[in-house]
Structure formats: structure tokens, C-alpha cells
């Protein structure tokens, strides 16, 4: 009798844990370049901060907390942080989702499923050599645009956002 | 000298300034297709120093910035070996250069390079650009990053191709466009390279911390 109750309690605890982590971890949407281009060309009056990263990229992981902090800081303002993973789509469950969950990432998460960088990098940003991390900041309605192919400090990121928001 | 000849001093200054200015873009932004690439002298995993000038019979080189720590570089290792095996006999050997600072990226240390070269039995030299001077001169920004250079009649090295290996980093057998191989085939055949610039996602160069 006691064990049964304990089991029930444990089961409900596990269930609670599972549902809360599922609720707090963001979904990762798999996109193609056409979707990314659409996001880049959206005519909204919002400052998009789009960061390209991967779970295998050390400098990317180092700067991720700054993007997460910006996502929190500008909540309720027309600033949108989007993290675009360059991981292989095959690694979505095993690596990306695990990473996202472990870090509790809250920004919008996309995974760009394209194997041939040469087919799209120049169409998005000719100045981009293909190295990550890279970050695009834009407000299309106001015609604001900035691109960085470098690991950023928190200060650098804040300066760019404050300049355009 | 009795009197300073001012116009000459100005002229000399102008020449000096323009020389300095012209030197900046090359080191800041690296080579573009058509530029003349410089030679180097870097330490190979076997302890010997390697220069492009050592290869008297080469018609050119596949100078490839690559490393141990980047998954994209690792994914392309077998394809680099294949490129070398296919084109060294045609006059274009591959020279691999690890551009990463070992302090910032410990997995790219000289010792670890030796281990990896042995594991993969690299048929080409694997050099460490310890000062990162060559990486800067070439303008490599990521790994892997290929520069195909062609020896000219005067012995200088003209950059013929800058870019990536092919269009599928995940699976060599699925690659539809073999950019580097096509460029080399065209070069060997004496044709114009149809796609001399290609891009790919790659790992950032791990620069020395100031």
C-alpha cells in the first residue's frame, strides 16, 4: 500500500518535472533558406537580432548568454532575438534540443537545414565569409541594418541594440 | 646637404604613405582571386620546415587552412586526402595549414596535430602557422578554407580559387557540386575557372588573444 502511494507520488513528480521543463524550453523550428530570407525581408517595425551559432562552435556558445540576456531585457519592446542554429538537422534531437534544454534558452530558435552554404550565404549577406558566430541586426521599416562576423562582447551587442531600438 | 629640398621630402612622404596604404588591404582583407600569394616557411608535423619553394616541379598548390578541432574540418579530412591524391600527380599538391592559436584552442596544439596527422595518415604536410602571419596574409577566416594557387612563368603564385571543397559538408557521397575539384580540373586543362569563389559555413579562426 505504502509503496503504491510512493510510486504514485514519484510518477506525478516525474510528470510535473517533465511538463515544466517542456514548457520552459523553447521549440526549435527547422527552416530552409527561403524561410530565413522571408524573415530577413519582413517589413515589420521590429529590431531583429539574428545570431548564427552551432552547438559545436565554442565562440558562439560563449556569446549566447548575451543574446539570451538581451531577449529578456527588451521583452515587451519591439526587439526580437532569433538564434539560428547551423547544426546538422540530424543532430536536432540528440544535440540541439538537449543543448537548448540544458541551457534553458528562451529566445526564438531556428535550425537552418541547408548543406550548401555557397548557394545562400551571398544572397543573405555578401560580406559574410561563412564563419560563425555571425550576427545580423535589422529593422526593415526604418532601414536599419548591421552585420558582424565575429564573437561579440555583451557591451558590443547592447550598443548595437540601443543604437537602433 | 645645405638645404632641405621640400618637394622631394613631400614626394618621399607620399610614396611612403601610399606604400603603407597599399600594404594595409592585403594584410587586412587577405587575397582575392587574381592576387599574388606569398610563400611561407612553416613547421610540419614531422618537425621539418616546409616552403612552397621546396616544390620545384609543382604547377600550383591547394593551400588549405584546416584544423583538428572544427567538426567541418574533420568532416572534410578524407576529401582533402582524396584531393591531394588526385591532383598532386597533376602538379597540384595539397598543403594543410592549421591557423589556430594553441592557447585559445588547445585541441589544435602542435602535439595534437601530430597525433591527428598520424591517425589519418595525411599524405600532405600539416603545418602550424604559429604566428598566424600567413593566415592573415591569405585572409583565411574559417576552417576549412581553400586557396588554390597557380605558379606563373616568373615563379610567382597567382590565386586562382578561394572557397570550399563541395556543396555537402555532411556527406561526400551526396555532394553534387565539387567546387574545388572542378576548379582544379579546369586549371589543369588550362581553362578559365568557372566558379573561382565559393562560400561555406565554417569554424572561426581562433586568433591569439592580445
Amino acid at each position: 500500500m505504502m509503496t503504491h502511494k510512493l510510486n504514485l507520488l514519484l510518477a506525478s513528480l516525474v510528470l510535473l518535472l517533465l511538463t515544466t521543463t517542456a514548457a520552459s524550453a523553447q521549440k526549435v523550428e527547422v527552416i530552409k533558406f527561403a524561410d530565413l530570407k522571408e524573415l530577413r525581408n519582413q517589413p515589420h517595425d521590429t529590431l531583429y537580432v539574428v545570431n548564427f551559432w552551432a552547438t559545436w562552435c565554442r565562440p558562439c556558445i560563449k556569446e549566447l548568454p548575451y543574446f539570451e540576456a538581451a531577449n529578456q531585457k527588451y521583452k515587451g519592446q519591439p526587439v526580437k532575438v532569433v538564434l539560428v542554429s547551423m547544426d546538422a538537422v540530424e543532430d536536432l534531437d540528440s544535440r540541439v534540443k538537449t543543448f537548448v534544454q540544458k541551457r534553458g534558452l528562451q529566445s526564438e530558435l531556428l535550425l537552418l537545414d541547408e548543406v550548401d552554404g555557397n548557394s545562400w550565404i551571398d544572397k543573405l549577406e555578401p560580406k559574410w565569409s561563412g564563419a560563425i558566430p555571425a550576427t545580423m541586426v535589422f529593422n526593415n521599416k526604418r532601414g536599419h541594418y548591421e552585420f558582424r562576423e565575429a564573437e561579440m562582447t555583451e557591451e558590443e551587442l547592447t550598443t548595437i541594440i540601443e543604437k537602433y531600438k | 646637404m645645405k638645404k632641405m629640398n621640400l618637394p622631394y621630402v613631400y614626394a618621399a612622404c607620399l610614396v611612403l604613405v601610399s606604400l603603407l596604404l597599399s600594404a594595409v588591404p592585403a594584410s587586412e582583407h587577405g587575397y582575392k582571386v587574381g592576387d599574388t600569394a606569398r610563400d611561407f616557411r612553416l613547421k610540419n608535423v614531422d618537425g621539418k620546415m616546409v616552403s612552397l619553394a621546396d616544390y620545384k616541379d609543382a604547377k600550383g598548390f591547394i593551400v588549405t587552412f584546416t584544423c583538428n578541432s572544427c567538426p567541418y574540418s574533420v568532416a572534410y579530412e578524407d576529401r582533402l586526402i582524396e584531393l591531394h591524391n588526385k591532383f598532386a600527380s597533376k602538379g597540384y599538391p595539397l598543403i594543410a595549414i592549421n591557423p589556430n592559436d594553441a592557447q585559445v584552442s588547445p585541441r589544435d596544439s602542435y602535439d595534437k596535430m601530430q597525433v591527428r596527422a598520424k591517425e589519418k595518415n595525411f599524405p600532405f604536410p600539416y603545418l602550424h602557422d604559429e604566428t598566424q602571419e600567413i593566415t592573415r596574409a591569405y585572409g583565411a577566416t574559417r576552417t576549412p578554407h581553400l586557396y588554390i594557387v597557380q605558379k606563373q612563368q616568373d615563379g610567382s603564385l597567382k590565386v586562382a580559387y578561394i572557397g570550399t571543397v563541395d556543396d555537402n559538408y555532411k556527406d561526400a557521397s551526396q555532394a553534387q557540386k565539387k567546387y574545388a575539384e572542378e576548379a582544379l580540373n579546369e586549371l589543369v586543362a588550362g581553362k578559365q575557372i568557372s566558379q573561382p569563389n565559393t562560400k561555406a559555413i565554417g569554424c572561426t579562426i581562433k586568433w591569439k588573444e592580445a
Side-chain angles (χ1 to χ4, degrees):
Chain A
M1 210 41 188
M2 268 306 272
T3 23
H4 183 69
K5 261 193 179 165
L6 202 68
N7 274 345
L8 206 70
L9 188 73
L10 267 174
S12 42
L13 257 175
V14 167
L15 198 71
L16 188 75
L17 246 158
L18 276 175
T19 43
T20 42
T21 40
S24 65
Q26 282 281 26
K27 273 208 299 194
V28 184
E29 193 191 337
V30 176
I31 58 160
K32 299 301 276 185
F33 177 62
D35 306 304
L36 181 65
K37 214 173 166 202
E38 204 184 303
L39 173 79
R40 169 68 187 92
N41 295 330
Q42 276 184 39
H44 295 166
D45 189 7
T46 296
L47 188 68
Y48 276 85
V49 181
V50 181
N51 173 255
F52 297 91
W53 68 288
T55 56
W56 47 259
C57 166
R58 263 195 325 138
C60 303
I61 291 168
K62 217 170 124 195
E63 65 172 11
L64 267 184
Y66 314 146
F67 289 88
E68 280 289 288
N71 180 58
Q72 290 297 326
K73 188 175 166 190
Y74 298 103
K75 258 205 170 114
Q77 294 183 53
V79 176
K80 194 164 176 57
V81 177
V82 183
L83 305 176
V84 183
S85 162
M86 293 302 190
D87 286 271
V89 71
E90 290 84 353
D91 296 334
L92 178 65
D93 290 322
S94 59
R95 295 193 57 154
V96 185
K97 285 186 177 167
T98 316
F99 182 91
V100 166
Q101 195 135 346
K102 213 169 99 188
R103 301 271 173 148
L105 300 185
Q106 295 297 319
S107 308
E108 184 175 332
L109 292 153
L110 305 173
L111 184 145
L112 183 63
D113 178 25
E114 294 286 354
V115 285
D116 180 17
N118 193 55
S119 68
W120 61 269
I121 294 172
D122 276 342
K123 288 181 199 155
L124 189 71
E125 173 48 85
K127 284 202 296 268
W128 188 8
S129 86
I132 56 169
T135 303
M136 285 177 131
V137 179
F138 53 90
N139 179 321
N140 289 338
K141 197 172 173 196
R142 294 172 199 222
H144 295 154
Y145 178 75
E146 212 157 313
F147 172 75
R148 295 282 170 93
E149 180 181 314
E151 179 193 326
M152 277 197 275
T153 63
E154 187 156 27
E155 205 185 340
E156 280 172 303
L157 180 63
T158 310
T159 308
I160 298 179
I161 297 175
E162 287 293 325
K163 192 163 125 192
Y164 297 122
K165 79 169 178 86
Chain B
M1 205 156 88
K2 291 174 207 149
K3 210 168 83 182
M4 283 281 266
N5 198 333
L6 275 177
Y8 279 113
V9 174
Y10 279 132
C13 284
L14 269 177
V15 168
L16 190 70
V17 165
S18 57
L19 269 176
L20 282 171
L21 283 177
S22 65
V24 168
S27 58
E28 283 272 307
H29 306 294
Y31 298 139
K32 289 185 180 60
V33 168
D35 285 353
T36 300
R38 57 163 290 184
D39 198 354
F40 42 76
R41 204 173 132 77
L42 298 171
K43 197 167 149 193
N44 191 13
V45 281
D46 64 2
K48 292 185 185 129
M49 301 301 281
V50 170
S51 287
L52 299 181
D54 303 337
Y55 293 73
K56 302 284 180 227
D57 300 329
K59 292 176 184 152
F61 301 92
I62 313 164
V63 178
T64 304
F65 294 88
T66 186
C67 67
N68 291 347
S69 64
C70 172
Y72 276 61
S73 293
V74 173
Y76 273 115
E77 280 173 341
D78 289 342
R79 280 174 266 186
L80 294 185
I81 293 170
E82 219 176 284
L83 271 180
H84 173 82
N85 288 342
K86 199 161 182 179
F87 289 98
S89 57
K90 291 179 179 166
Y92 291 84
L94 190 139
I95 311 285
I97 301 176
N98 169 17
N100 289 344
D101 181 63
Q103 293 278 313
V104 181
S105 181
R107 282 166 64 199
D108 289 312
S109 71
Y110 182 70
D111 294 351
K112 300 255 165 69
M113 285 173 64
Q114 288 179 311
V115 172
R116 192 59 185 161
K118 209 169 175 187
E119 278 171 0
K120 293 299 293 183
N121 201 9
F122 283 158
F124 44 75
Y126 188 23
L127 316 173
H128 197 196
D129 184 16
E130 236 183 306
T131 63
Q132 302 186 315
E133 186 190 340
I134 303 309
T135 310
R136 279 187 205 282
Y138 276 68
T141 57
R142 57 174 196 268
T143 53
H145 205 160
L146 271 69
Y147 291 73
I148 299 173
V149 299
Q150 188 183 34
K151 224 181 247 177
Q152 304 298 291
Q153 291 212 321
D154 63 0
S156 66
L157 300 161
K158 191 175 162 190
V159 179
Y161 172 89
I162 302 176
T164 182
V165 179
D166 59 34
D167 66 351
N168 194 320
Y169 69 91
K170 284 194 283 198
D171 186 351
S173 68
Q174 293 296 310
Q176 305 287 314
K177 294 174 226 152
K178 299 185 172 180
Y179 302 122
E181 196 177 321
E182 276 163 33
L184 283 157
N185 278 331
E186 286 167 333
L187 212 54
V188 168
K191 289 187 206 154
Q192 191 82 12
I193 295 181
S194 44
Q195 207 166 359
N197 288 289
T198 59
K199 284 182 182 178
I201 294 295
C203 304
T204 249
I205 304 280
K206 309 300 184 291
W207 299 106
K208 252 181 224 311
E209 273 160 12

